[in-house]
PDB file of all heavy atoms in Angstrom:
ATOM      1  N   GLU A  28     -72.029 -58.222 -12.840  1.00 84.00           N
ATOM      2  CA  GLU A  28     -72.774 -58.836 -13.938  1.00 84.00           C
ATOM      3  C   GLU A  28     -74.236 -58.439 -13.795  1.00 84.00           C
ATOM      4  O   GLU A  28     -74.690 -58.022 -12.736  1.00 84.00           O
ATOM      5  CB  GLU A  28     -72.630 -60.359 -13.947  1.00 84.00           C
ATOM      6  CG  GLU A  28     -73.159 -61.067 -12.729  1.00 84.00           C
ATOM      7  CD  GLU A  28     -73.064 -62.584 -12.886  1.00 84.00           C
ATOM      8  OE1 GLU A  28     -73.843 -63.131 -13.694  1.00 84.00           O
ATOM      9  OE2 GLU A  28     -72.228 -63.192 -12.207  1.00 84.00           O
ATOM     10  N   ASP A  29     -74.978 -58.563 -14.887  1.00 85.00           N
ATOM     11  CA  ASP A  29     -76.363 -58.104 -14.905  1.00 85.00           C
ATOM     12  C   ASP A  29     -77.282 -59.177 -14.328  1.00 85.00           C
ATOM     13  O   ASP A  29     -78.037 -59.846 -15.047  1.00 85.00           O
ATOM     14  CB  ASP A  29     -76.764 -57.746 -16.330  1.00 85.00           C
ATOM     15  CG  ASP A  29     -75.964 -56.572 -16.863  1.00 85.00           C
ATOM     16  OD1 ASP A  29     -75.675 -55.664 -16.081  1.00 85.00           O
ATOM     17  OD2 ASP A  29     -75.636 -56.580 -18.065  1.00 85.00           O
ATOM     18  N   VAL A  30     -77.222 -59.327 -13.005  1.00 89.00           N
ATOM     19  CA  VAL A  30     -78.062 -60.318 -12.335  1.00 89.00           C
ATOM     20  C   VAL A  30     -79.531 -60.001 -12.557  1.00 89.00           C
ATOM     21  O   VAL A  30     -80.353 -60.890 -12.779  1.00 89.00           O
ATOM     22  CB  VAL A  30     -77.739 -60.350 -10.823  1.00 89.00           C
ATOM     23  CG1 VAL A  30     -78.683 -61.299 -10.091  1.00 89.00           C
ATOM     24  CG2 VAL A  30     -76.298 -60.751 -10.602  1.00 89.00           C
ATOM     25  N   ASN A  31     -79.871 -58.715 -12.521  1.00 91.00           N
ATOM     26  CA  ASN A  31     -81.264 -58.321 -12.710  1.00 91.00           C
ATOM     27  C   ASN A  31     -81.792 -58.767 -14.071  1.00 91.00           C
ATOM     28  O   ASN A  31     -82.896 -59.289 -14.186  1.00 91.00           O
ATOM     29  CB  ASN A  31     -81.425 -56.810 -12.527  1.00 91.00           C
ATOM     30  CG  ASN A  31     -80.423 -56.009 -13.342  1.00 91.00           C
ATOM     31  OD1 ASN A  31     -79.631 -56.556 -14.116  1.00 91.00           O
ATOM     32  ND2 ASN A  31     -80.444 -54.694 -13.183  1.00 91.00           N
ATOM     33  N   GLU A  32     -80.982 -58.571 -15.101  1.00 90.00           N
ATOM     34  CA  GLU A  32     -81.415 -58.948 -16.443  1.00 90.00           C
ATOM     35  C   GLU A  32     -81.423 -60.464 -16.621  1.00 90.00           C
ATOM     36  O   GLU A  32     -82.282 -61.003 -17.330  1.00 90.00           O
ATOM     37  CB  GLU A  32     -80.516 -58.285 -17.478  1.00 90.00           C
ATOM     38  CG  GLU A  32     -80.624 -56.757 -17.451  1.00 90.00           C
ATOM     39  CD  GLU A  32     -79.728 -56.101 -18.487  1.00 90.00           C
ATOM     40  OE1 GLU A  32     -79.618 -56.650 -19.597  1.00 90.00           O
ATOM     41  OE2 GLU A  32     -79.137 -55.047 -18.178  1.00 90.00           O
ATOM     42  N   ASN A  33     -80.467 -61.151 -16.004  1.00 90.00           N
ATOM     43  CA  ASN A  33     -80.459 -62.614 -16.082  1.00 90.00           C
ATOM     44  C   ASN A  33     -81.763 -63.188 -15.528  1.00 90.00           C
ATOM     45  O   ASN A  33     -82.414 -64.028 -16.159  1.00 90.00           O
ATOM     46  CB  ASN A  33     -79.281 -63.184 -15.281  1.00 90.00           C
ATOM     47  CG  ASN A  33     -77.941 -62.825 -15.883  1.00 90.00           C
ATOM     48  OD1 ASN A  33     -77.855 -62.438 -17.048  1.00 90.00           O
ATOM     49  ND2 ASN A  33     -76.886 -62.942 -15.098  1.00 90.00           N
ATOM     50  N   LEU A  34     -82.144 -62.710 -14.360  1.00 93.00           N
ATOM     51  CA  LEU A  34     -83.363 -63.209 -13.724  1.00 93.00           C
ATOM     52  C   LEU A  34     -84.609 -62.787 -14.498  1.00 93.00           C
ATOM     53  O   LEU A  34     -85.519 -63.591 -14.741  1.00 93.00           O
ATOM     54  CB  LEU A  34     -83.454 -62.691 -12.286  1.00 93.00           C
ATOM     55  CG  LEU A  34     -82.826 -63.546 -11.195  1.00 93.00           C
ATOM     56  CD1 LEU A  34     -82.977 -62.869  -9.840  1.00 93.00           C
ATOM     57  CD2 LEU A  34     -83.465 -64.924 -11.163  1.00 93.00           C
ATOM     58  N   GLY A  35     -84.669 -61.509 -14.872  1.00 92.00           N
ATOM     59  CA  GLY A  35     -85.841 -61.010 -15.577  1.00 92.00           C
ATOM     60  C   GLY A  35     -86.062 -61.708 -16.899  1.00 92.00           C
ATOM     61  O   GLY A  35     -87.196 -62.080 -17.239  1.00 92.00           O
ATOM     62  N   THR A  36     -84.978 -61.913 -17.654  1.00 91.00           N
ATOM     63  CA  THR A  36     -85.083 -62.572 -18.951  1.00 91.00           C
ATOM     64  C   THR A  36     -85.557 -64.007 -18.800  1.00 91.00           C
ATOM     65  O   THR A  36     -86.472 -64.459 -19.503  1.00 91.00           O
ATOM     66  CB  THR A  36     -83.728 -62.545 -19.670  1.00 91.00           C
ATOM     67  OG1 THR A  36     -83.328 -61.196 -19.874  1.00 91.00           O
ATOM     68  CG2 THR A  36     -83.803 -63.259 -21.007  1.00 91.00           C
ATOM     69  N   ALA A  37     -84.933 -64.751 -17.873  1.00 93.00           N
ATOM     70  CA  ALA A  37     -85.300 -66.158 -17.673  1.00 93.00           C
ATOM     71  C   ALA A  37     -86.739 -66.296 -17.192  1.00 93.00           C
ATOM     72  O   ALA A  37     -87.480 -67.171 -17.647  1.00 93.00           O
ATOM     73  CB  ALA A  37     -84.340 -66.800 -16.670  1.00 93.00           C
ATOM     74  N   ALA A  38     -87.159 -65.423 -16.275  1.00 94.00           N
ATOM     75  CA  ALA A  38     -88.510 -65.508 -15.727  1.00 94.00           C
ATOM     76  C   ALA A  38     -89.558 -65.177 -16.779  1.00 94.00           C
ATOM     77  O   ALA A  38     -90.588 -65.857 -16.892  1.00 94.00           O
ATOM     78  CB  ALA A  38     -88.639 -64.568 -14.529  1.00 94.00           C
ATOM     79  N   LEU A  39     -89.304 -64.133 -17.566  1.00 93.00           N
ATOM     80  CA  LEU A  39     -90.262 -63.744 -18.585  1.00 93.00           C
ATOM     81  C   LEU A  39     -90.359 -64.807 -19.677  1.00 93.00           C
ATOM     82  O   LEU A  39     -91.449 -65.102 -20.186  1.00 93.00           O
ATOM     83  CB  LEU A  39     -89.862 -62.397 -19.181  1.00 93.00           C
ATOM     84  CG  LEU A  39     -90.988 -61.502 -19.715  1.00 93.00           C
ATOM     85  CD1 LEU A  39     -92.053 -61.290 -18.659  1.00 93.00           C
ATOM     86  CD2 LEU A  39     -90.426 -60.170 -20.176  1.00 93.00           C
ATOM     87  N   ALA A  40     -89.214 -65.403 -20.043  1.00 92.00           N
ATOM     88  CA  ALA A  40     -89.225 -66.475 -21.039  1.00 92.00           C
ATOM     89  C   ALA A  40     -90.045 -67.663 -20.535  1.00 92.00           C
ATOM     90  O   ALA A  40     -90.799 -68.284 -21.296  1.00 92.00           O
ATOM     91  CB  ALA A  40     -87.793 -66.906 -21.346  1.00 92.00           C
ATOM     92  N   LYS A  41     -89.930 -67.968 -19.234  1.00 94.00           N
ATOM     93  CA  LYS A  41     -90.696 -69.086 -18.664  1.00 94.00           C
ATOM     94  C   LYS A  41     -92.192 -68.779 -18.677  1.00 94.00           C
ATOM     95  O   LYS A  41     -93.013 -69.660 -18.950  1.00 94.00           O
ATOM     96  CB  LYS A  41     -90.220 -69.367 -17.246  1.00 94.00           C
ATOM     97  CG  LYS A  41     -90.940 -70.511 -16.559  1.00 94.00           C
ATOM     98  CD  LYS A  41     -90.818 -71.818 -17.337  1.00 94.00           C
ATOM     99  CE  LYS A  41     -89.392 -72.348 -17.376  1.00 94.00           C
ATOM    100  NZ  LYS A  41     -89.333 -73.685 -18.030  1.00 94.00           N
ATOM    101  N   TYR A  42     -92.552 -67.534 -18.415  1.00 95.00           N
ATOM    102  CA  TYR A  42     -93.967 -67.158 -18.439  1.00 95.00           C
ATOM    103  C   TYR A  42     -94.558 -67.402 -19.823  1.00 95.00           C
ATOM    104  O   TYR A  42     -95.626 -68.011 -19.958  1.00 95.00           O
ATOM    105  CB  TYR A  42     -94.153 -65.686 -18.055  1.00 95.00           C
ATOM    106  CG  TYR A  42     -95.526 -65.161 -18.384  1.00 95.00           C
ATOM    107  CD1 TYR A  42     -96.612 -65.441 -17.568  1.00 95.00           C
ATOM    108  CD2 TYR A  42     -95.755 -64.414 -19.551  1.00 95.00           C
ATOM    109  CE1 TYR A  42     -97.889 -64.990 -17.888  1.00 95.00           C
ATOM    110  CE2 TYR A  42     -97.025 -63.958 -19.872  1.00 95.00           C
ATOM    111  CZ  TYR A  42     -98.091 -64.248 -19.032  1.00 95.00           C
ATOM    112  OH  TYR A  42     -99.342 -63.813 -19.362  1.00 95.00           O
ATOM    113  N   PHE A  43     -93.875 -66.934 -20.881  1.00 93.00           N
ATOM    114  CA  PHE A  43     -94.406 -67.085 -22.233  1.00 93.00           C
ATOM    115  C   PHE A  43     -94.378 -68.550 -22.676  1.00 93.00           C
ATOM    116  O   PHE A  43     -95.240 -68.986 -23.445  1.00 93.00           O
ATOM    117  CB  PHE A  43     -93.627 -66.205 -23.203  1.00 93.00           C
ATOM    118  CG  PHE A  43     -94.023 -64.762 -23.128  1.00 93.00           C
ATOM    119  CD1 PHE A  43     -93.186 -63.826 -22.548  1.00 93.00           C
ATOM    120  CD2 PHE A  43     -95.249 -64.333 -23.610  1.00 93.00           C
ATOM    121  CE1 PHE A  43     -93.551 -62.492 -22.461  1.00 93.00           C
ATOM    122  CE2 PHE A  43     -95.633 -63.007 -23.536  1.00 93.00           C
ATOM    123  CZ  PHE A  43     -94.778 -62.086 -22.948  1.00 93.00           C
ATOM    124  N   GLU A  44     -93.413 -69.311 -22.193  1.00 93.00           N
ATOM    125  CA  GLU A  44     -93.369 -70.739 -22.509  1.00 93.00           C
ATOM    126  C   GLU A  44     -94.591 -71.455 -21.929  1.00 93.00           C
ATOM    127  O   GLU A  44     -95.247 -72.239 -22.619  1.00 93.00           O
ATOM    128  CB  GLU A  44     -92.086 -71.344 -21.941  1.00 93.00           C
ATOM    129  CG  GLU A  44     -91.980 -72.861 -22.120  1.00 93.00           C
ATOM    130  CD  GLU A  44     -90.807 -73.455 -21.361  1.00 93.00           C
ATOM    131  OE1 GLU A  44     -89.771 -72.762 -21.224  1.00 93.00           O
ATOM    132  OE2 GLU A  44     -90.919 -74.595 -20.890  1.00 93.00           O
ATOM    133  N   LEU A  45     -94.889 -71.176 -20.659  1.00 94.00           N
ATOM    134  CA  LEU A  45     -96.044 -71.811 -20.025  1.00 94.00           C
ATOM    135  C   LEU A  45     -97.348 -71.323 -20.637  1.00 94.00           C
ATOM    136  O   LEU A  45     -98.311 -72.087 -20.775  1.00 94.00           O
ATOM    137  CB  LEU A  45     -96.029 -71.539 -18.517  1.00 94.00           C
ATOM    138  CG  LEU A  45     -94.923 -72.227 -17.720  1.00 94.00           C
ATOM    139  CD1 LEU A  45     -94.965 -71.785 -16.264  1.00 94.00           C
ATOM    140  CD2 LEU A  45     -95.040 -73.746 -17.811  1.00 94.00           C
ATOM    141  N   ARG A  46     -97.384 -70.047 -21.005  1.00 92.00           N
ATOM    142  CA  ARG A  46     -98.590 -69.510 -21.626  1.00 92.00           C
ATOM    143  C   ARG A  46     -98.873 -70.211 -22.946  1.00 92.00           C
ATOM    144  O   ARG A  46    -100.012 -70.601 -23.238  1.00 92.00           O
ATOM    145  CB  ARG A  46     -98.451 -68.003 -21.854  1.00 92.00           C
ATOM    146  CG  ARG A  46     -99.736 -67.354 -22.368  1.00 92.00           C
ATOM    147  CD  ARG A  46     -99.525 -65.943 -22.853  1.00 92.00           C
ATOM    148  NE  ARG A  46     -98.724 -65.883 -24.065  1.00 92.00           N
ATOM    149  CZ  ARG A  46     -98.661 -64.826 -24.868  1.00 92.00           C
ATOM    150  NH1 ARG A  46     -99.357 -63.743 -24.588  1.00 92.00           N
ATOM    151  NH2 ARG A  46     -97.912 -64.835 -25.954  1.00 92.00           N
ATOM    152  N   GLU A  47     -97.845 -70.375 -23.752  1.00 91.00           N
ATOM    153  CA  GLU A  47     -98.016 -71.033 -25.048  1.00 91.00           C
ATOM    154  C   GLU A  47     -98.426 -72.492 -24.865  1.00 91.00           C
ATOM    155  O   GLU A  47     -99.304 -73.002 -25.576  1.00 91.00           O
ATOM    156  CB  GLU A  47     -96.714 -70.951 -25.849  1.00 91.00           C
ATOM    157  CG  GLU A  47     -96.829 -71.542 -27.242  1.00 91.00           C
ATOM    158  CD  GLU A  47     -95.549 -71.361 -28.044  1.00 91.00           C
ATOM    159  OE1 GLU A  47     -94.600 -70.753 -27.513  1.00 91.00           O
ATOM    160  OE2 GLU A  47     -95.502 -71.846 -29.186  1.00 91.00           O
ATOM    161  N   LYS A  48     -97.812 -73.147 -23.895  1.00 92.00           N
ATOM    162  CA  LYS A  48     -98.152 -74.546 -23.622  1.00 92.00           C
ATOM    163  C   LYS A  48     -99.609 -74.672 -23.213  1.00 92.00           C
ATOM    164  O   LYS A  48    -100.335 -75.555 -23.686  1.00 92.00           O
ATOM    165  CB  LYS A  48     -97.241 -75.083 -22.518  1.00 92.00           C
ATOM    166  CG  LYS A  48     -97.556 -76.508 -22.094  1.00 92.00           C
ATOM    167  CD  LYS A  48     -96.654 -76.936 -20.938  1.00 92.00           C
ATOM    168  CE  LYS A  48     -97.029 -78.336 -20.453  1.00 92.00           C
ATOM    169  NZ  LYS A  48     -96.209 -78.746 -19.289  1.00 92.00           N
ATOM    170  N   ARG A  49    -100.074 -73.758 -22.362  1.00 89.00           N
ATOM    171  CA  ARG A  49    -101.453 -73.816 -21.889  1.00 89.00           C
ATOM    172  C   ARG A  49    -102.425 -73.515 -23.030  1.00 89.00           C
ATOM    173  O   ARG A  49    -103.482 -74.134 -23.132  1.00 89.00           O
ATOM    174  CB  ARG A  49    -101.632 -72.829 -20.741  1.00 89.00           C
ATOM    175  CG  ARG A  49    -102.961 -72.949 -20.020  1.00 89.00           C
ATOM    176  CD  ARG A  49    -102.950 -72.164 -18.722  1.00 89.00           C
ATOM    177  NE  ARG A  49    -102.082 -72.784 -17.737  1.00 89.00           N
ATOM    178  CZ  ARG A  49    -101.098 -72.165 -17.095  1.00 89.00           C
ATOM    179  NH1 ARG A  49    -100.860 -70.896 -17.335  1.00 89.00           N
ATOM    180  NH2 ARG A  49    -100.363 -72.805 -16.218  1.00 89.00           N
ATOM    181  N   MET A  50    -102.066 -72.570 -23.899  1.00 89.00           N
ATOM    182  CA  MET A  50    -102.923 -72.242 -25.041  1.00 89.00           C
ATOM    183  C   MET A  50    -103.029 -73.434 -25.985  1.00 89.00           C
ATOM    184  O   MET A  50    -104.106 -73.711 -26.527  1.00 89.00           O
ATOM    185  CB  MET A  50    -102.379 -71.018 -25.773  1.00 89.00           C
ATOM    186  CG  MET A  50    -102.525 -69.717 -24.996  1.00 89.00           C
ATOM    187  SD  MET A  50    -101.747 -68.298 -25.825  1.00 89.00           S
ATOM    188  CE  MET A  50    -102.728 -68.218 -27.321  1.00 89.00           C
ATOM    189  N   ASN A  51    -101.911 -74.148 -26.182  1.00 89.00           N
ATOM    190  CA  ASN A  51    -101.932 -75.329 -27.048  1.00 89.00           C
ATOM    191  C   ASN A  51    -102.816 -76.425 -26.453  1.00 89.00           C
ATOM    192  O   ASN A  51    -103.562 -77.103 -27.169  1.00 89.00           O
ATOM    193  CB  ASN A  51    -100.518 -75.857 -27.261  1.00 89.00           C
ATOM    194  CG  ASN A  51     -99.675 -74.925 -28.119  1.00 89.00           C
ATOM    195  OD1 ASN A  51    -100.206 -74.125 -28.893  1.00 89.00           O
ATOM    196  ND2 ASN A  51     -98.359 -75.003 -27.982  1.00 89.00           N
ATOM    197  N   GLU A  52    -102.728 -76.602 -25.123  1.00 85.00           N
ATOM    198  CA  GLU A  52    -103.550 -77.614 -24.464  1.00 85.00           C
ATOM    199  C   GLU A  52    -105.026 -77.258 -24.556  1.00 85.00           C
ATOM    200  O   GLU A  52    -105.867 -78.123 -24.820  1.00 85.00           O
ATOM    201  CB  GLU A  52    -103.130 -77.748 -22.995  1.00 85.00           C
ATOM    202  CG  GLU A  52    -101.754 -78.371 -22.814  1.00 85.00           C
ATOM    203  CD  GLU A  52    -101.302 -78.354 -21.362  1.00 85.00           C
ATOM    204  OE1 GLU A  52    -101.988 -77.696 -20.540  1.00 85.00           O
ATOM    205  OE2 GLU A  52    -100.283 -78.995 -21.052  1.00 85.00           O
ATOM    206  N   GLU A  53    -105.334 -75.979 -24.358  1.00 79.00           N
ATOM    207  CA  GLU A  53    -106.732 -75.549 -24.461  1.00 79.00           C
ATOM    208  C   GLU A  53    -107.241 -75.698 -25.889  1.00 79.00           C
ATOM    209  O   GLU A  53    -108.386 -76.090 -26.117  1.00 79.00           O
ATOM    210  CB  GLU A  53    -106.862 -74.100 -23.992  1.00 79.00           C
ATOM    211  CG  GLU A  53    -106.624 -73.918 -22.500  1.00 79.00           C
ATOM    212  CD  GLU A  53    -106.609 -72.457 -22.096  1.00 79.00           C
ATOM    213  OE1 GLU A  53    -106.674 -71.595 -23.002  1.00 79.00           O
ATOM    214  OE2 GLU A  53    -106.528 -72.181 -20.887  1.00 79.00           O
TER     215      GLU A  53
END
């Protein structure tokens, strides 16, 4: 199974989620 893509996708999605949250707070 594509473990590399599972991890990469989840991690990148979390980065953009936190970025958007921080931008909204700012």
Side-chain angles (χ1 to χ4, degrees):
E28 62 176 289
D29 296 323
V30 175
N31 50 4
E32 296 180 38
N33 293 342
L34 270 179
T36 299
L39 209 53
K41 180 58 67 175
Y42 166 79
F43 282 107
E44 176 189 328
L45 291 176
R46 186 192 68 163
E47 183 176 358
K48 177 183 176 183
R49 189 168 290 126
M50 290 175 63
N51 290 337
E52 291 174 351
E53 292 174 354

